[in-house]
Amino acid sequence: MGETKYFLMEVDKLIPYARNARTHSEVQIAQIAASIKEFGFLSPVIISKDNTILCGHGRYYAAQKLGLEKIPCIQEEYLTEAQKRAYILADNKISQNAGWDEELLKIEIADLQGEDFDVSLTGFEDYEITDLFAVHEEHPQVEKQVENKEYDEEEFGDEEFEHECPRCGFKYN
């Protein structure tokens, strides 16, 4: 492995990877653009020797949207073609495998809200924040309804069912 070198590259010289399986909606690109405007371009785009983007397509599209002429890049110089393709997938998928410590997340969001910071810049939607802080109480009546079924699922044998009632759990075809 060589030394990692950061440099600025002209946006119009970058080439999106033709087989990039990761998609970016206009909403997400707008979120990335807003993040870049607020925080700066802190995550470089990873490119190959021929300027093909390996990682950072969303940042690239956001840079185009913002009209940026140059963006920070790192040029990869040692991966095989198979490793490049695998890294493109790994870079996107592995980050999705993380979770959230909801108690710490609540503290961070609440503190930002207390500082009158635009929390939408974190990428969390309003409904996600509302759900995070919602009080989820136990509803014993709902549990009783589910327990008092008017049928016995065992009487249907091992038959596979295509549908299930969301209220009572009755399975049917």
Side-chain angles (χ1 to χ4, degrees):
M1 259 190 278
E3 182 180 327
T4 302
K5 296 177 186 171
Y6 295 83
F7 60 95
L8 293 176
M9 171 64 89
E10 292 83 7
V11 172
D12 60 1
K13 290 186 179 178
L14 297 174
I15 306 162
Y17 178 56
R19 292 171 54 177
N20 184 30
R22 190 71 170 160
T23 61
H24 300 280
S25 69
E26 288 300 318
V27 170
Q28 191 219 16
I29 292 168
Q31 289 174 324
I32 295 169
S35 177
I36 291 170
K37 283 173 73 173
E38 177 71 21
F39 309 117
F41 211 115
L42 297 176
S43 295
V45 172
I46 313 297
I47 61 173
S48 62
K49 292 177 188 176
D50 68 354
N51 295 341
T52 298
I53 298 170
L54 303 180
C55 303
H57 286 82
R59 294 186 295 280
Y60 163 76
Y61 297 129
Q64 286 182 318
K65 183 178 186 74
L66 292 170
L68 301 179
E69 293 180 20
K70 293 182 177 184
I71 59 175
C73 293
I74 296 174
Q75 189 173 66
E76 172 285 312
E77 298 179 347
Y78 56 87
L79 297 176
T80 67
E81 288 303 313
Q83 285 177 320
K84 286 178 193 177
R85 291 194 324 269
Y87 182 68
I88 291 167
L89 297 174
D91 180 68
N92 287 298
K93 178 60 179 147
I94 292 171
S95 65
Q96 290 180 319
N97 295 341
W100 291 101
D101 179 321
E102 288 192 8
E103 291 307 312
L104 289 176
L105 180 59
K106 285 179 187 179
I107 293 167
E108 288 294 321
I109 297 289
D111 285 353
L112 288 170
Q113 288 172 328
E115 295 175 25
D116 204 27
F117 188 84
D118 182 1
V119 180
S120 70
L121 290 169
T122 64
F124 285 95
E125 299 289 338
D126 287 340
Y127 75 89
E128 292 173 306
I129 293 170
T130 300
D131 188 53
L132 180 66
F133 288 97
V135 177
H136 299 286
E137 296 179 13
E138 294 291 322
H139 295 289
Q141 295 168 340
V142 173
E143 291 175 22
K144 287 179 185 175
Q145 289 175 353
V146 172
E147 290 173 8
N148 293 326
K149 294 180 182 176
E150 296 178 11
Y151 61 91
D152 181 10
E153 289 178 352
E154 300 299 319
E155 70 186 73
F156 294 104
D158 294 334
E159 185 177 349
E160 293 288 324
F161 297 100
E162 294 179 25
H163 308 284
E164 181 175 333
C165 175
R167 293 185 67 211
C168 71
F170 181 75
K171 296 177 183 178
Y172 61 97
N173 286 328

